[in-house]
Amino acid sequence: MESLQGLLKETWHFYRKTLILVTRGGKIYYAWCFSLLAIIVMGFIFYWKQHEMGLIETNMTDQVSWGLYIANFTYLVGMAAAAVLLVIPSYIYQFKPIKEIVVLGELFAASCMVMAILFVMVDLGRLDRFWHMLPFIGSMNFPASLLAWDVLALNGYLFLNLFIPIYLLVKSYYGKKPNWKFILPFILLSIPWAVGIHTVTAFLYNGLAARPFWNASILAPRFLASAFCSGPAIIIVIFQIIRKVSAIKIEDGALFKVAELIAYAMFLNLFLLGAEIFKEYYSGTVHMASFKYLFEGLHHHNELVPWIWAAMAMNVTAFILFLIPSTRERLSTLNLGCLLIIVGVWIEKGPGFVIPGFVPDPLGEIHEYVPNLVELMVSFGIWALGLLIFTLLMKVAIPIETGEFTHTDYERGVITKKSLDYTASLHKINKQ
Amino acid sequence: MSNKDYTRREFIRSFSVTALAGLSLPVLSSCSKEEVEDFLQKHFREMTVEEKKKVIAKLEQRYFEQYGRKFQISTQEALPETLWGYGLELSRCIGCRKCVYACASENNTSRYARQLHWIRVLRLKRGNLINLEDSEHYYTPETVPEKGFVYLPVQCQQCQNPPCVKVCPIHATWQEPDGIVVVDYNWCIGCRYCIAACPYKGRVFNWAEPNLPKDEVNPNVHYLGNRPRMKCAVEKCTFCIQRVRQGRYPACVEACPTGSRKFGNLLDPKSEIRYIIERKRVFRLREELNTESKFYYFFES
């Protein structure tokens, strides 16, 4: 009874403190949160219109039946998978500067996962029937459908990336050392799982014989390589923001290490792309049509051409910046490289990957797709929601990491509780 | 053992559905009883006979209110010893699209915003049949046939090894014992993975609430076929399941003015389709994808 009361009190203390932490901040913090909130609300209004009228509110058609939503989904799965790039050096090789920030990286992966799942949900025509997809409750077509695999893989990864950092943070909140025997298996599991979510997502496209553009076995390796560029790139940027606005210390060494890893990943990404382009162009079969549409335009339809070349230029520039130690280890060029990669890979792995799969369609029709306002607004809304979730998670996680928010505060509370008991007993004596 | 597993699974499922219903009670309490029933409606293949009857009665009532007509909604099962196959004689097809419109009026497809068709006729320059990239889908000449062109009608090829069924995450589409691939429109979640997987563009999507004028409705429908659909569910050719299971030809076969379209039971050695396969030069679209389509194109022997 006593312990239960203690637990309740402690939980209450934690909630109260968390609430205080997330609701108090500087002007910039408020401005940031409220502008994100405004974007979320706007996105939701547009989504509601789409939900009521159907997907006709978007620019998708029977020809190009997946668009901006699924493009964002694909990109975000890659972003989330990239947390593993921090996990490996920190937990396995005990590389100290990264170890301090890995928890934040995992929470970032969790936020990405939430966004990825939301992008699938807004793409569903019948969200009201979502429960048909739940294991045991609905009727999941497992293991035949890769989409069923993806539901399990993504949710599992979301769980891991919430469970591991929360466990570590709670331990640190109580001022205790984590039980490595307990948590290490989960950490180790999260490494193949990260590779798994991206592989499963690649297979989702890869398995479709009807779409030659996706039906290439190089797809999953390419997915992984590009993910290990974009995810860490955004993490480098976020960590610089975190160390600027909070007390947490992130050494430059950690950032440079991550940038070096990006250089290797980008080399692999460009190499695999080159291998694919060679095969398509040298053999020159009719299956090249989608490639042609993407890189040069097909029968005067060339909407994606400037985009993909811009992406290529960005990726190559970033690769060079990260390859040369002097530009990699200067914050200005480092950040430029990160920005180029974030945008470049988004184009390549998002619209530049999803749309050409549908152009030309299996019966040879060429239908160009441009997302409309609804799709843009809903997408901005989801991105804003992901950033807001990440911001709030950081607002609680950082004080725990730095030791500002701990259980000892509560222990002071215990003392006051004791003194309360003391006064109560005094009252009793007085009454007698 | 398997029986025990089954009951346990059933238990977990019914328990979770109850829990789900309980949890969503606040939301659902703002909905009507009918909406709640719709929300919790089971997969067609898991309904008992009684449940099917109830759903049919509800639908007939709803269609009557919406279209002012008394609907006959069949749930007739596949005939024994049948596997439907289709033949299309390319040397006869003149590209008139009579089949396209006969299909639309038989199958209650959306007429406008967006107009959906289950059959697509491609116009190809003579000298090419395989590279569809050079095909024209929206040809509009004064008269057909046009000099120098051939026509290739494409619809769901009713694959025996259907990629669309394999990719559906929730078993909303499946193959019936007579080989027809059908969709439970009330189970489909509208993810459109099947559209991406189909090599024949055999599936179309209701991007909005379908627009079907009252006076153009066909009230003789099958639950898994031509009953009026709803927004954001996928649909496709069913070889006119409502007709063929009653011994009639599909609407497109009847409508074709040149007699290019043939239909029959692949398991019956005396059927017309078997005659064609055995005596004519037949081929199937995208045979290299191993879809084992049951749609045979052929030429004059």
Side-chain angles (χ1 to χ4, degrees):
Chain A
M1 200 59 201
E2 186 86 346
S3 64
L4 185 74
Q5 237 178 7
L7 188 74
L8 280 176
K9 264 216 144 90
E10 177 56 30
T11 316
W12 168 243
H13 164 77
F14 182 80
Y15 270 118
R16 207 171 46 96
K17 197 75 202 283
T18 311
L19 223 67
I20 291 170
L21 277 172
V22 298
T23 49
R24 295 215 179 127
K27 266 189 191 144
I28 298 173
Y29 173 71
Y30 277 126
W32 169 248
C33 285
F34 277 104
S35 36
L36 286 180
L37 226 88
I39 298 171
I40 293 167
V41 169
M42 196 153 66
F44 186 79
I45 292 168
F46 276 91
Y47 174 71
W48 194 248
K49 196 172 142 205
Q50 177 198 308
H51 183 266
E52 290 301 291
M53 302 307 294
L55 286 164
I56 195 152
E57 291 295 318
T58 71
N59 265 0
M60 289 184 275
T61 57
D62 283 323
Q63 286 77 26
V64 182
S65 49
W66 284 339
L68 189 64
Y69 297 151
I70 295 299
N72 274 314
F73 154 76
T74 312
Y75 179 71
L76 282 163
V77 170
M79 281 249 173
V84 78
L85 257 198
L86 293 177
V87 173
I88 296 174
S90 72
Y91 291 126
I92 313 288
Y93 298 113
Q94 306 285 334
F95 185 74
K96 203 165 165 291
I98 291 185
K99 192 161 185 174
E100 285 164 359
I101 54 179
V102 71
V103 166
L104 311 185
E106 277 167 347
L107 289 174
F108 174 74
S111 318
C112 284
M113 223 62 271
V114 171
M115 286 189 268
I117 291 169
L118 280 175
F119 270 115
V120 176
M121 307 239 305
V122 297
D123 189 66
L124 290 183
R126 307 288 315 206
L127 194 61
D128 53 329
R129 297 176 186 166
F130 181 73
W131 66 274
H132 297 178
M133 225 178 188
L134 301 176
F136 302 112
I137 302 171
S139 82
M140 199 178 221
N141 186 9
F142 187 85
S145 171
L146 263 300
L147 202 51
W149 277 77
D150 225 10
V151 169
L152 297 178
L154 297 187
N155 284 298
Y157 195 63
L158 175 62
F159 167 76
L160 282 177
N161 276 291
L162 285 175
F163 179 69
I164 297 168
I166 286 175
Y167 173 81
L168 293 174
L169 287 172
V170 164
K171 281 287 173 188
S172 148
Y173 173 77
Y174 280 97
K176 287 180 194 154
K177 279 219 150 66
N179 177 2
W180 288 107
K181 268 194 187 144
F182 169 72
I183 198 68
L184 198 65
F186 289 100
I187 293 169
L188 291 177
L189 178 66
S190 79
I191 297 169
W193 204 293
V195 176
I197 58 164
H198 221 38
T199 309
V200 167
T201 307
F203 284 176
L204 194 122
Y205 301 99
N206 201 181
L208 305 180
R211 310 278 172 180
F213 183 69
W214 297 332
N215 195 218
S217 27
I218 207 165
L219 205 71
R222 258 192 77 189
F223 259 54
L224 284 170
S226 66
F228 289 157
C229 302
S230 57
I234 202 162
I235 281 178
I236 290 179
V237 175
I238 286 172
F239 282 166
Q240 288 177 68
I241 298 170
I242 286 175
R243 72 176 177 187
K244 206 160 242 172
V245 300
S246 77
I248 207 161
K249 285 191 185 65
I250 297 167
E251 290 169 32
D252 277 349
L255 302 181
F256 301 151
K257 191 79 197 168
V258 177
E260 196 187 329
L261 295 174
I262 294 177
Y264 304 145
M266 185 48 97
F267 168 74
L268 208 61
N269 185 34
L270 292 171
F271 174 74
L272 293 176
L273 176 66
E276 202 173 5
I277 287 178
F278 167 77
K279 177 245 173 185
E280 293 298 337
Y281 273 87
Y282 194 82
S283 51
T285 69
V286 286
H287 289 169
M288 200 179 75
S290 296
F291 258 92
K292 239 179 158 163
Y293 172 66
L294 180 60
F295 283 99
E296 356 170 4
L298 194 64
H299 301 295
H300 310 295
H301 298 276
N302 43 18
E303 211 165 61
L304 287 175
V305 176
W307 289 88
I308 196 68
W309 285 108
M312 291 295 118
M314 289 180 201
N315 287 350
V316 171
T317 314
F319 171 60
I320 295 167
L321 285 178
F322 284 4
L323 193 64
I324 303 166
S326 64
T327 45
R328 179 173 69 220
E329 291 173 4
R330 193 190 309 141
L331 284 181
S332 59
T333 41
L334 176 78
N335 286 335
L336 175 68
C338 286
L339 211 67
L340 290 175
I341 284 183
I342 292 166
V343 179
V345 173
W346 182 81
I347 296 171
E348 189 202 323
K349 201 85 286 144
F353 169 76
V354 173
I355 299 168
F358 295 102
V359 186
D361 79 6
L363 296 189
E365 194 182 343
I366 298 171
H367 181 93
E368 285 205 289
Y369 158 85
V370 191
N372 67 3
L373 189 69
V374 173
E375 287 169 274
L376 284 172
M377 286 306 175
V378 172
S379 300
F380 281 133
I382 293 175
W383 278 96
L385 183 65
L387 283 175
L388 185 66
I389 290 173
F390 182 63
T391 309
L392 300 183
L393 283 173
M394 286 301 99
K395 204 77 169 76
V396 181
I398 290 172
I400 295 178
E401 284 262 285
T402 56
E404 289 166 57
F405 175 24
T406 58
H407 187 255
T408 45
D409 278 314
Y410 174 67
E411 275 171 12
R412 257 178 254 136
V414 174
I415 296 163
T416 42
K417 186 181 164 254
K418 265 186 190 161
S419 52
L420 275 174
D421 288 349
Y422 177 68
T423 38
S425 55
L426 273 184
H427 269 285
K428 265 186 192 169
I429 294 164
N430 282 349
K431 270 187 185 170
Q432 282 168 355
Chain B
M1 181 63 201
S2 69
N3 198 19
K4 199 176 152 196
D5 273 356
Y6 179 73
T7 47
R8 182 186 303 155
R9 209 182 139 189
E10 274 292 279
F11 171 75
I12 293 175
R13 178 174 296 186
S14 49
F15 179 78
S16 335
V17 167
T18 322
L20 191 83
L23 282 173
S24 40
L25 207 66
V27 185
L28 293 179
S29 58
S30 63
C31 305
S32 69
K33 185 169 163 271
E34 201 176 313
E35 280 172 317
V36 177
E37 270 177 18
D38 279 0
F39 176 74
L40 293 174
Q41 184 174 318
K42 281 201 213 162
H43 190 288
F44 181 72
R45 285 204 289 184
E46 291 183 0
M47 286 185 210
T48 61
V49 178
E50 276 309 302
E51 285 169 327
K52 278 181 190 170
K53 268 188 190 151
K54 261 178 91 176
V55 167
I56 297 296
K58 181 181 75 180
L59 270 183
E60 282 179 343
Q61 176 64 25
R62 194 175 298 172
Y63 289 152
F64 183 76
E65 282 160 17
Q66 197 173 348
Y67 299 105
R69 302 277 289 275
K70 177 90 189 77
F71 272 69
Q72 293 290 331
I73 306 175
S74 159
T75 53
Q76 191 187 348
E77 287 176 15
L79 305 172
E81 295 296 309
T82 2
L83 191 66
W84 300 115
Y86 206 105
L88 201 149
E89 186 171 349
L90 286 173
S91 40
R92 275 178 196 260
C93 177
I94 55 167
C96 65
R97 293 204 188 99
K98 281 242 159 60
C99 51
V100 175
Y101 290 95
C103 168
S105 67
E106 168 69 26
N107 288 303
N108 293 323
T109 53
S110 178
R111 298 296 201 274
Y112 57 92
R114 296 190 178 152
Q115 184 186 38
L116 298 185
H117 283 155
W118 290 354
I119 305 175
R120 214 166 238 275
V121 186
L122 314 191
R123 188 183 74 181
L124 293 153
K125 276 206 185 82
R126 275 186 190 273
N128 166 36
L129 258 186
I130 296 297
N131 189 359
L132 303 182
E133 211 190 294
D134 298 323
S135 65
E136 174 56 56
H137 295 224
Y138 306 100
Y139 62 93
T140 50
E142 288 283 307
T143 53
V144 282
E146 301 154 275
K147 246 198 152 86
F149 293 105
V150 293
Y151 302 91
L152 176 73
V154 185
Q155 62 208 68
C156 171
Q157 313 274 305
Q158 310 290 355
C159 308
Q160 200 58 16
N161 181 17
C164 52
V165 170
K166 191 159 79 179
V167 300
C168 176
I170 50 163
H171 293 117
T173 182
W174 66 91
Q175 190 174 43
E176 288 276 290
D178 54 4
I180 301 176
V181 174
V182 293
V183 180
D184 181 350
Y185 310 117
N186 282 75
W187 195 255
C188 172
I189 52 170
C191 72
R192 314 187 296 296
Y193 198 12
C194 54
I195 296 182
C198 176
Y200 307 103
K201 212 167 161 179
R203 287 168 172 259
V204 289
F205 193 66
N206 286 288
W207 297 91
E209 200 64 56
N211 289 305
L212 181 60
K214 278 182 184 174
D215 54 344
E216 292 180 28
V217 157
N218 172 15
N220 295 314
V221 298
H222 193 284
Y223 187 88
L224 299 172
N226 58 336
R227 70 178 163 110
R229 271 79 65 187
M230 69 289 282
K231 79 172 177 210
C232 293
V234 80
E235 60 179 59
K236 63 185 282 299
C237 157
T238 63
F239 276 172
C240 283
I241 195 167
Q242 67 283 1
R243 287 167 152 254
V244 298
R245 285 189 179 171
Q246 291 175 353
R248 297 170 69 196
Y249 277 126
C252 49
V253 172
E254 276 183 7
C256 181
T258 62
S260 314
R261 290 172 169 268
K262 309 289 180 194
F263 186 78
N265 181 3
L266 291 166
L267 300 181
D268 175 7
K270 292 198 290 287
S271 69
E272 197 176 7
I273 188 72
R274 282 286 289 271
Y275 180 91
I276 289 163
I277 292 170
E278 279 151 27
R279 290 183 178 72
K280 309 275 180 180
R281 273 101 174 130
V282 301
F283 79 97
R284 295 177 291 174
L285 271 188
R286 304 265 150 85
E287 211 152 2
E288 76 276 15
L289 300 185
N290 204 24
T291 53
E292 297 293 345
S293 109
K294 297 194 291 291
F295 202 99
Y296 294 86
Y297 293 91
F298 66 99
F299 303 96
E300 202 66 63
S301 60

